[in-house]
Amino acid sequence: MFSIVLNIIGTLFHFYVAQRVSRTGLVPSRVRPGAWWLAVVLLWVIYLAGVHIANASSGWRWVLGQFSLNWLGILFVMSLCLLAADIATGFGLWWRGHAARVRGAAAIAGMALSAFAIYQSVRAPVVVPYEVAMKNLPPELDGMTLAMVSDLHLGTQRGADWMAARVAQINALQPAAVLMVGDQVDRDPLGDPRLATVLRGLEARRGVWAVTGNHEFYGDAETTVSEFAEGGVRWLRNRRVELAPGLVLAGIEDVGRAMHGGGDNAGEITGDLAQLLPAAPAQAQATILLSHIPAAPLIDMAAARGVGLMLSGHTHGGQIWPFSYLVRQRFPQLVGQHAIEGMNLIISRGAGSWGPRMRLWQPGEIVKITLRTLPTPR
């Protein structure tokens, strides 16, 4: 079904862009209309073929699949720019003498923005720092540094070598713990024997911890969990641990399936969290919760049950503008740090990307969190 949708949307974008570009003056005059449209159709056939093998992991199938995903992203950006030009010129009904030049400028802008978006995704993630004042945090833990990374999407676009570079970035932060907040893989287990060695290179005296994301369950989740466990990653699948004296780290299984199956059924979404965290803890303690999807019912329950810091990913910050406006309709806290009823919420836009290897406007990120003790009221 998903590939059918991509076929339809991609086809509409493809022929719209081809038709508008053909009327910009950018196509050399020596290129006859028949040759232009033959090339357009051949490229469309290649795109359709690539959509069906987009998850291929190697060889020419990988190249073709990745071309199709990125071509779809480029077509989307180009269509936005050309549509803006068409609206400005009334689809050629006014400014007749300038319409072709306006469309040409829009096409060039679309190509430039596409190139920038690809650069933003291919470049190394940036480090984004946050300071978090946590209730009930013991004074001796003031200044503790954590590294948070989400949405790595290891797989067809990113492998063990890319992850090794991320390990170096994380180690440079000298974190006490590394927290991996879901979608470690794009779909299937990575299947690269080097991954375990790379992950064992993470340096964090209080461990490397992970929760599942929705993409783990698109493939063989249990094999993915085993692959990361071989690299020293400890999974929090509806369990909690004492990260340090007075500081609890809890993690829940991804709730994506409950959201798709039950829509907005709050009971199904929060069931695991309700069992993991007591409604009235026996004693006040600082608690960090890892949940890949920042679903509203989870946020509300976590705040009500005394969680001091909740960490999530999933939204990608919208990844390609203007999808951020659509994603915000589902997840009002789209990205960044938020205060929710006395709880800190941090949502990462992720280190990797999904689908087209493009990001417009922000690059991927690794989050550095410095914990602070709340001042004692006088």
Side-chain angles (χ1 to χ4, degrees), residues 136 240 242 245-248 278 280-287 305-306:
N136 303 319
R240 48 193 285 172
E242 187 177 64
L247 177 60
V248 170
Q283 59 182 16
Q285 55 189 349
T287 301
R305 299 201 171 194

Side-chain angles (χ1 to χ4, degrees), residues 10-359:
T11 296
L12 293 174
F13 285 160
H14 181 86
F15 284 101
Y16 172 70
V17 170
Q19 197 275 339
R20 304 319 279 166
V21 169
S22 70
R23 298 189 175 187
T24 61
L26 296 177
V27 180
S29 58
R30 64 178 177 273
V31 178
R32 296 183 179 276
W36 168 258
W37 286 107
L38 177 61
V40 168
V41 171
L42 288 176
L43 187 58
W44 172 64
V45 171
I46 292 172
Y47 163 77
L48 292 182
V51 166
H52 292 281
I53 58 174
N55 290 315
S57 59
S58 62
W60 67 269
R61 291 167 60 87
W62 179 86
V63 174
L64 186 57
Q66 295 307 299
F67 164 78
S68 292
L69 290 176
N70 284 291
W71 184 240
L72 178 62
I74 292 169
L75 288 173
F76 173 74
V77 175
M78 291 280 292
S79 295
L80 283 181
C81 293
L82 288 167
L83 181 60
D86 277 337
I87 292 173
T89 60
F91 288 84
L93 294 178
W94 54 77
W95 289 5
R96 291 178 181 270
H98 303 284
R101 285 195 294 272
V102 172
R103 282 195 297 268
I108 292 171
M111 289 184 282
L113 285 175
S114 296
F116 177 73
I118 291 171
Y119 163 73
Q120 286 285 65
S121 183
V122 172
R123 65 179 290 199
V126 299
V127 174
V128 177
Y130 294 102
E131 285 208 354
V132 176
M134 281 188 68
K135 55 189 176 185
N136 303 319
L137 184 72
E140 57 271 22
L141 298 182
D142 185 82
M144 174 185 278
T145 298
L146 307 173
M148 169 194 179
V149 62
S150 75
D151 299 279
L152 293 163
H153 287 277
L154 300 179
T156 54
Q157 293 183 355
R158 299 168 187 82
D161 291 337
W162 183 87
M163 187 63 205
R166 307 293 74 78
V167 168
Q169 278 188 282
I170 292 170
N171 287 344
L173 303 179
Q174 298 181 317
V178 176
L179 310 178
M180 306 177 79
V181 194
D183 282 5
Q184 276 68 256
V185 297
D186 199 47
R187 181 185 180 93
D188 297 312
L190 193 60
D192 189 334
R194 297 175 298 164
L195 179 62
T197 300
V198 168
L199 292 173
R200 282 195 291 268
L202 286 166
E203 300 169 357
R205 67 184 184 278
R206 298 191 185 274
V208 181
W209 305 88
V211 292
T212 55
N214 54 303
H215 276 257
E216 270 76 50
F217 292 98
Y218 294 164
D220 183 350
E222 298 308 319
T223 299
T224 295
V225 168
S226 296
E227 281 187 343
F228 279 74
E230 288 176 9
V233 176
R234 289 176 274 185
W235 291 84
L236 295 172
R237 306 182 72 179
N238 298 330
R239 71 186 187 100
R240 48 193 285 172
V241 297
E242 187 177 64
L243 188 63
L247 177 60
V248 170
L249 180 65
I252 59 171
E253 198 83 302
D254 177 68
V255 299
R257 291 166 296 173
M259 294 180 72
H260 287 301
D264 291 313
N265 187 324
E268 291 188 26
I269 294 172
T270 60
D272 290 337
L273 181 59
Q275 295 183 37
L276 183 63
L277 296 180
Q283 59 182 16
Q285 55 189 349
T287 301
I288 298 174
L289 173 67
L290 308 184
S291 171
H292 175 65
I293 297 179
L298 287 176
I299 295 171
D300 293 340
M301 178 175 284
R305 299 201 171 194
V307 171
L309 172 62
M310 178 174 169
L311 304 179
S312 296
H314 187 63
T315 68
H316 290 223
Q319 189 167 323
I320 300 177
W321 182 91
F323 282 109
S324 53
Y325 298 109
L326 296 177
V327 177
R328 198 182 294 274
Q329 300 306 307
R330 183 67 165 164
F331 303 104
Q333 294 83 24
L334 179 70
V335 70
Q337 186 173 14
H338 308 269
I340 310 291
E341 299 296 328
M343 180 184 75
N344 292 280
L345 169 66
I346 294 178
I347 302 174
S348 172
R349 60 178 178 262
S353 58
W354 176 74
R357 196 163 184 181
M358 302 172 72
R359 276 188 172 273

